[in-house]
Amino acid sequence: MTRTPEVPLRTKLLYGCGDITVSAKNTSLNQFLLFFYADVVHLSPLLVGAAIFIGKLWDAVTDPLMGYLSDSTRSRWGRRRPYVAASAIPLGLFFYLLFNPPLAGTTATFLYLLTVYILLFAFFTVYATPYIAWGAELAQDYHERTTVVQIRSLFGVLGGVIGATAPIAIAESFSDQRQGFGVMAAVLAALMTASGLLTGWGVTEHAHAATAAPSVARFLGGLRQTFANRDFRVVFLTFCLMTVATSIGQAIQLIVVKYWLQMYDFFPVIALTFALSFAASFPFWLRLSQRVGKRRAMLTGLAFGCVAPFGWLIVQPGQRIAMLVFMVAAGILTGSLTIVISTAADVVDFDELQTGERREGAYFGVWTLGLKTMSAVGILIGGAALQLIGYVPDQP
């Protein structure tokens, strides 16, 4: 059997750098957007959840279309690279605007949030769907693909740490929380744009055979073929269920930490502990997948992951050491996500055997559709739960 060429480390690093954009955006929005608009701007958490839900649903619909478009693109720069490079700047701009709403009434603030959120995610779709699909093309070797995912995830950890710690660290240095979050948004927007441009301009895309001209019939046919793949359906459904559970927790996590656990000032340490444990677990999950196979390794992570959320019921107010122990365990178990993502990339190879086409964009367009839809559901449930229990901003 012919051995596929190894991906150069420089290429892996430059490609992985682009995940700083994805993770910094995702982490900061998942953990701080509902908190910012509910606790700082004083918009009803149910309205915040509704705006995010509507925006994400609309955005999710565009993901398969973007995946198909990048699969069908023919240019001298490649299929994925032009979209990653072109969307980095507007993505940073709308992220900044999201945390700088004008002083206005409830209706105007809601409409501002909804409009800017939709525009932000429109450019995020143009960036993230081709970017994730690009990673499946970089490595053809079964286990090297896991290393590409894990290097990307290491940069994702860095982006996640910044996205989780910078908002409070920066906002707390200002007497006006709105101003503090506005400055934070400017810093993160610059970082996201820079890392996106570094990947877009720094990684050379492999040459591909000419693709068929885009058409509605081929797009719909591609969707049917994607969902007809049983292996993909299993991995996709697994990831969707994990996402909705995670999103509920992330949406209300900071409010729980601030008002129940009374550790608001300690949150950067909590986030850092989780991120470092997540990154440190990568060699373990890679080794386990090599020894027992990706499927068994993934199921092991999922089984223990079902137990981890009960840590929120065990940790009591002020128990910082117990909270850190909980975060270490949660971070290690979350590392199994890299196996899930790597497995999804392997499914594309099986699809190529059946169809004769490389359709990473179609698969990962559907993948991000599920991710965003389930995330929207989780955030809506979180906002509704806060409203139901009588949450009042800025009150003990």
Side-chain angles (χ1 to χ4, degrees):
M1 185 173 66
T2 304
R3 181 175 174 82
T4 57
E6 185 174 344
V7 181
L9 179 60
R10 178 181 179 275
T11 298
K12 292 177 182 176
L13 293 174
L14 284 171
Y15 170 73
C17 181
D19 207 49
I20 293 177
T21 302
V22 176
S23 294
K25 193 278 302 178
N26 285 344
T27 303
S28 57
L29 293 193
N30 289 344
Q31 295 189 346
F32 294 101
L33 187 61
L34 189 148
F35 174 82
F36 171 71
Y37 273 91
D39 209 64
V40 178
V41 179
H42 294 175
L43 188 63
S44 160
L46 184 58
L47 285 178
V48 180
I52 295 173
F53 178 76
I54 294 169
K56 281 201 172 189
L57 279 187
W58 168 252
D59 171 57
V61 172
T62 65
D63 285 326
L65 181 60
M66 187 65 233
Y68 173 72
L69 182 61
S70 69
D71 279 344
S72 305
T73 295
R74 288 169 284 186
S75 79
R76 56 183 293 191
W77 298 284
R79 298 194 294 177
R80 323 292 184 190
R81 187 182 183 190
Y83 298 108
V84 172
S87 58
I89 292 177
L91 178 60
L93 172 63
F94 284 104
F95 180 87
Y96 168 77
L97 292 176
L98 191 61
F99 284 93
N100 285 272
L103 293 171
T106 299
T107 302
T109 301
F110 172 79
L111 292 176
Y112 178 90
L113 167 61
L114 178 61
T115 302
V116 176
Y117 192 83
I118 288 174
L119 291 171
L120 167 65
F121 269 86
F123 286 104
F124 184 66
T125 293
V126 176
Y127 179 92
T129 302
Y131 172 75
I132 296 173
W134 195 356
E137 297 174 336
L138 286 179
Q140 302 303 313
D141 180 76
Y142 185 71
H143 289 299
E144 189 183 19
R145 182 170 286 149
T146 299
T147 66
V148 170
V149 171
Q150 291 193 336
I151 288 176
R152 190 190 103 195
S153 297
L154 285 173
F155 281 96
V157 168
L158 176 60
V161 167
I162 296 171
T165 59
I168 291 181
I170 295 175
E172 283 287 277
S173 63
F174 290 82
S175 58
D176 183 348
Q177 289 282 285
R178 285 179 71 115
Q179 182 184 7
F181 273 95
V183 173
M184 173 279 299
V187 172
L188 287 190
L191 174 68
M192 290 160 52
T193 297
S195 60
L197 290 175
L198 189 59
T199 296
W201 291 105
V203 180
T204 301
E205 190 172 351
H206 297 315
H208 296 279
T211 56
S215 69
V216 174
R218 290 195 74 248
F219 170 65
L220 295 177
L223 285 181
R224 286 194 296 271
Q225 287 177 341
T226 299
F227 280 108
N229 188 323
R230 180 186 176 278
D231 294 327
F232 179 76
R233 291 200 308 269
V234 171
V235 178
F236 176 71
L237 179 60
T238 300
F239 191 73
C240 284
L241 293 174
M242 294 170 68
T243 299
V244 70
T246 302
S247 298
I248 294 173
Q250 288 183 331
I252 65 174
Q253 176 177 270
L254 190 55
I255 290 175
V256 172
V257 168
K258 179 178 180 179
Y259 292 111
W260 165 241
L261 297 178
Q262 300 169 22
M263 301 182 192
Y264 182 69
D265 61 326
F266 194 59
F267 186 77
V269 178
I270 294 172
L272 181 61
T273 301
F274 175 85
L276 293 178
S277 302
F278 175 64
S281 73
F282 290 174
F284 166 76
W285 291 110
L286 175 61
R287 180 66 174 165
L288 184 65
S289 71
Q290 291 171 337
R291 287 181 63 88
V292 305
K294 290 184 183 181
R295 180 178 179 274
R296 288 186 178 180
M298 181 176 68
L299 291 176
T300 300
L302 291 174
F304 284 104
C306 292
V307 179
F310 287 97
W312 288 107
L313 303 178
I314 298 173
V315 178
Q316 295 298 303
Q319 294 182 350
R320 297 191 172 195
I321 299 300
M323 186 66 180
L324 293 183
V325 172
F326 170 39
M327 286 296 104
V328 168
I332 292 172
L333 293 174
T334 305
S336 62
L337 276 176
T338 60
I339 305 299
V340 181
I341 298 171
S342 178
T343 302
D346 294 333
V347 170
V348 179
D349 290 341
F350 179 67
D351 176 77
E352 184 183 17
L353 290 176
Q354 294 183 312
T355 66
E357 295 182 71
R358 292 295 297 184
R359 301 189 308 116
E360 291 90 348
Y363 274 94
F364 286 99
V366 172
W367 184 270
T368 52
L369 179 150
L371 169 65
K372 292 174 181 178
T373 302
M374 293 301 102
S375 176
V377 170
I379 292 172
L380 181 63
I381 293 173
L386 288 175
Q387 191 80 14
L388 183 65
I389 64 173
Y391 160 77
V392 178
D394 241 4
Q395 295 296 321

